[in-house]
Amino acid sequence: MAYTVPKLTDYSAGALERASAELLSALGKEAAVVKNEEEWRIFRDRWMARKNGILTQINDVWLKGAPKEAKRVTGQSVNLVKAQVEEKVDGVKARLQIPHFPTTNLGSEISESEFELEAFSKAGLVDITLPGVHREIGAEHPVIRTTNEIVSVFQKLGYSVAEGPVVETDYYNFEALNFPPNHPARDTQDTLFIAGQQSKAARERLLLRTHTSPVQIRTMEKMRPPLRIVIPGTVHRNDPPDASHSPMFHQVEGLAVDTNITFGDLKGTLDHAMKALFGSSVKTHFRPSFFPFTEPSAEMYVSCFICGGSGKRGAEPCRPCKQTGWIEILGCGMVDPNVFEFVKDNGYDPKKVSGFAFGMGADRIALLKYGVDDIQLFFQGDVRFLQQWG
Ligand code: PHE
């Protein structure tokens, strides 16, 4: 008669031992007569099937039925029995040299997923002759692509990439960049503040960064000069969306600090970068400007690569450069000594080092490069638009 799991009334150590021994002797006898793969499967399932296999039964009948005080010893016996059953089932499999996966009629092993598919197919659960789901390989977003292009131009010049948080403190976004509290220059970068910060000191309050410049400070705190970094990232401003504004946009910032860095280095570096990005025939020019964290500051323009600087496209006026022949690309300048004062302890003594910084809008450059006339298109996620970069 085939072995069945008995109910236990006596949970003494001796009784448990007897019940286990009886089970294991049945296991041994059954194992000895298994002759082929098919029989082994039946044997395995009888003992180990999760649903109603003998191991499941002893768990349910012996362990769950045990009185509280006998739970521990019963658990130990059950675990011993489990280990032996598993060992036996594996042992028989090894004796019969059953491969891990069933063989195909070509004799090679097939993979687990193929095996499952075949099983599902046989059971009528899937129709493997139906065409599969075709997933398109995504396209790089034009703004990300442009960002990567800009970054790689500077990487070739020996710059490394630095990043920082989008949710920033007032200190890094403004104060350490020489925007004192209540300074009117803050109004040029109106931002979105995180709510409920009133109990914090002003410099600790959180906001969405308005530019990537705070990463200048964060990096100078961590790394000593000389330093050459590019900083790509997302920024926010309190600007209502229109064709050329978005409350969220992207910048690429740059910072170079060393001894004897001059405005000539800034001009040479940026002129090279613009030629690498827009073609070797573009010219650059600089106009005085103001940023609290650079002195002197400038806006850099490139000659319009759409009309070639003439301001006209045939008889039509050139719109991207507003007929001026020049397009504003970025803000830049020599790092203000007041900024170095905030990181002086890390080797940035304004008497010993100098540097330049610049920041440009990657979205704006992408608009110009690809001739897109509305920045909103970049962020609406319309696949018909984005597919053009696929
Ligand atoms: N952070 C400035 C802006 O967002 C750009 C800038 C960066 C200007 C670095 C000078 C130097 O407008």
Side-chain angles (χ1 to χ4, degrees):
M1 245 255 299
Y3 174 80
T4 52
V5 177
K7 262 210 163 89
L8 297 183
T9 43
D10 182 356
Y11 278 90
S12 66
L16 282 166
E17 207 168 293
R18 255 173 280 125
S20 301
E22 195 188 331
L23 179 147
L24 293 173
S25 111
L27 174 74
K29 279 188 201 135
E30 289 184 28
V33 298
V34 175
K35 283 190 303 296
N36 54 40
E37 184 170 339
E38 204 184 324
E39 286 180 12
W40 172 75
R41 283 184 195 287
I42 295 167
F43 168 67
R44 178 197 60 187
D45 293 347
R46 167 166 152 76
W47 288 87
M48 289 179 50
R50 218 163 275 164
K51 209 170 152 192
N52 230 20
I54 288 173
L55 288 186
T56 305
Q57 288 181 44
I58 60 171
N59 213 43
D60 289 350
V61 178
W62 293 4
L63 190 58
K64 288 191 188 144
K68 218 169 160 197
E69 60 282 2
K71 282 262 196 261
R72 216 171 65 88
V73 272
T74 314
Q76 283 165 351
S77 302
V78 167
N79 283 342
L80 278 174
V81 166
K82 271 189 185 162
Q84 300 218 36
V85 170
E86 280 161 16
E87 204 183 301
K88 202 55 143 189
V89 169
D90 280 348
V92 176
K93 186 180 175 190
R95 166 164 66 79
L96 296 172
Q97 296 183 335
I98 297 168
H100 188 48
F101 299 119
T103 49
T104 62
N105 47 13
L106 292 172
S108 60
E109 283 197 20
I110 63 171
S111 73
E112 191 163 17
S113 57
E114 279 174 303
F115 167 61
E116 278 178 4
L117 199 59
E118 205 171 277
F120 282 145
S121 172
K122 276 195 189 129
L125 294 172
V126 289
D127 180 352
I128 57 172
T129 65
L130 284 174
V133 181
H134 179 66
R135 286 188 205 280
E136 302 274 354
I137 295 175
E140 204 172 25
H141 191 280
V143 174
I144 301 300
R145 182 189 285 196
T146 305
T147 300
N148 290 340
E149 275 171 28
I150 301 167
V151 166
S152 80
V153 166
F154 287 97
Q155 280 182 313
K156 284 179 194 139
L157 293 176
Y159 284 63
S160 37
V161 177
E163 286 182 300
V166 176
V167 179
E168 196 40 287
T169 60
D170 184 281
Y171 177 77
Y172 286 109
N173 195 77
F174 290 126
E175 203 178 322
L177 289 166
N178 200 29
F179 292 80
N182 304 317
H183 192 281
R186 288 183 173 222
D187 294 348
T188 63
Q189 297 195 0
D190 187 11
T191 187
L192 306 154
F193 289 84
I194 308 291
Q197 307 262 308
Q198 289 78 355
S199 60
K200 286 188 184 166
R203 55 161 57 175
E204 301 290 315
R205 291 188 195 159
L206 297 171
L207 46 83
L208 299 183
R209 68 177 178 193
T210 56
H211 48 179
T212 39
S213 304
V215 188
Q216 290 188 25
I217 307 294
R218 286 184 175 275
T219 311
M220 288 193 283
E221 283 179 349
K222 282 196 294 248
M223 296 166 73
R224 300 176 68 85
L227 187 69
R228 278 170 184 69
I229 49 166
V230 258
I231 308 153
T234 309
V235 303
H236 293 77
R237 292 204 191 163
N238 187 8
D239 283 334
D242 64 24
S244 53
H245 293 86
S246 164
M248 184 283 300
F249 59 104
H250 301 82
Q251 287 189 334
V252 179
E253 181 102 6
L255 173 68
V257 184
D258 206 333
T259 48
N260 298 319
I261 298 257
T262 67
F263 202 87
D265 296 316
L266 178 157
K267 288 179 85 172
T269 304
L270 291 178
D271 187 73
H272 165 83
M274 294 306 119
K275 288 182 162 66
L277 283 172
F278 300 114
S280 55
S281 59
V282 298
K283 296 193 186 73
T284 51
H285 100 173
F286 294 79
R287 295 182 197 172
S289 183
F290 174 79
F291 300 101
F293 41 95
T294 47
E295 183 61 32
S297 304
E299 274 152 13
M300 192 198 70
Y301 289 71
V302 296
S303 55
C304 181
F305 41 85
I306 292 149
C307 66
S310 67
K312 287 205 187 65
R313 296 171 86 180
E316 295 287 306
C318 181
R319 284 219 291 152
C321 67
K322 301 190 192 96
Q323 303 181 60
T324 63
W326 293 96
I327 295 176
E328 189 194 331
I329 291 287
L330 55 78
C332 58
M334 302 305 291
V335 179
D336 193 304
N338 288 349
V339 171
F340 285 139
E341 289 292 340
F342 286 92
V343 286
K344 198 172 178 174
D345 292 347
N346 201 28
Y348 294 89
D349 182 345
K351 291 200 187 68
K352 295 194 180 125
V353 296
S354 58
F356 65 78
F358 56 87
M360 60 192 111
D363 325 73
R364 218 175 100 71
I365 294 175
L367 288 175
L368 293 164
K369 254 182 105 86
Y370 297 117
V372 175
D373 57 12
D374 186 347
I375 194 174
Q376 301 305 321
L377 287 165
F378 284 149
F379 309 124
Q380 284 161 345
D382 187 330
V383 174
R384 291 165 302 178
F385 173 74
L386 296 171
Q387 250 167 3
Q388 299 176 84
W389 283 269

